Amino acid sequence: MDEKRYSAKFRAVDTLLIIMMILPILFGITLYVLCTPESSGIEIAGARIYFTIPMPLQPLPITESQVNSWLVIISVFFLCLYLTHGLSADHPTKRQHIVEWGLEQTQNLVGDNMGEYFKDFAPFVAAIMVLSALSSLLTLVGLYPPTSDLNVVGGWAILVFILITYYKFKCGPVHYLKSYTEPVAFLTPLNVISEFATPVSMAFRHYGNILSGSVISVLVAAALQGLSAMIFGRLPGFLGQFPFLQIGIPAVLSVYFDIFSGLLQAFIFAMLTMLYVASGFPEEDYREKLRKKAANAAR
């Protein structure tokens, strides 16, 4: 009897977590429908501004990309609760095997690209990939993808730049400034430009690929609509207004631009994060610094 109660309670919690995963997306769809004005054709525009908050320097706009980002974060939070619900060392569930496999793959990815020192970076890298991928996949339900907003992706790139600078400072400010003069001193201006170009290139690469895919899909859909009207417009009744050429072709484009490209860009952004952080960290010099510090303390 206790086992049945536990099983019923377990399923009830699972159902609740699944509902809480879906609710943020449904809320986003409802908000989009209520706030979208009627349009006579296909439009290409940026993130919609829902409202602004007065601030001392300038008003803070709350945009569609910000709201959708938080909806994705909430959905990911409940997804994590669902995947980790009922973990057991004696009787692992199928979802536990999936979680353990994903965790193992992420740890191997971090270990292969960043080394043993950064083994604790796995949760951060996994969070980047999941957040980026799900943000891009919002287009499948008709919502504006936050990865199409340069402000959102630029914020991620700035966070990565802060991490890069932090690990470069591990050996002290003198060592950090000296790194700009390597391999030769006259390349210092180029090294400085390259340093600040890193977050810019990361942001524009991710933003540009996602946005261009959305724009191309919309343009192709509009072109197919016009071509369909030109070819089949003389058919009688509703057949002359039905967009025959829009059946199937936009879906094929969606498979590439919305799914494949979105997942690929999430993986590339995570890979660049790992490579930039690991390559900027002078691990040998840092360990030598620790050895000297320990030797001085022993004296």
Side-chain angles (χ1 to χ4, degrees), residues 11-92:
R11 290 196 298 269
V13 173
D14 269 0
T15 304
L16 178 61
L17 291 175
I18 293 174
I19 293 174
M20 295 304 296
M21 274 191 289
I22 300 174
L23 275 181
I25 307 302
L26 295 178
F27 172 79
I29 295 174
T30 304
L31 186 64
Y32 174 79
V33 172
L34 294 177
C35 297
T36 302
E38 294 185 3
S39 175
S40 58
I42 298 176
E43 297 181 354
I44 300 175
R48 184 179 292 104
I49 299 177
Y50 288 127
F51 59 91
T52 57
I53 301 176
M55 300 293 286
L57 296 179
Q58 64 178 19
L60 174 63
I62 303 301
T63 66
E64 194 175 6
S65 57
Q66 292 170 303
V67 173
N68 290 349
S69 293
W70 278 104
L71 295 180
V72 171
I73 291 173
I74 295 172
S75 295
V76 170
F77 172 73
F78 285 105
L79 173 63
C80 294
L81 292 181
Y82 172 77
L83 292 176
T84 56
H85 179 225
L87 294 180
S88 173
D90 299 326
H91 305 286

Side-chain angles (χ1 to χ4, degrees), residues 182-243:
E182 298 176 351
V184 288
F186 74 86
L187 291 179
T188 299
L190 293 179
N191 290 332
V192 173
I193 295 175
S194 175
E195 184 77 5
F196 290 97
T198 298
V200 175
S201 64
M202 291 184 67
F204 274 94
R205 179 185 291 107
H206 199 332
Y207 153 79
N209 280 280
I210 301 301
L211 179 63
S212 62
S214 301
V215 172
I216 291 174
S217 297
V218 171
L219 292 177
V220 171
L224 291 174
Q225 183 179 10
L227 185 61
S228 180
M230 182 186 303
I231 297 175
F232 304 103
R234 295 184 180 181
L235 294 177
F238 79 96
L239 294 177
Q241 300 178 351
F242 190 82

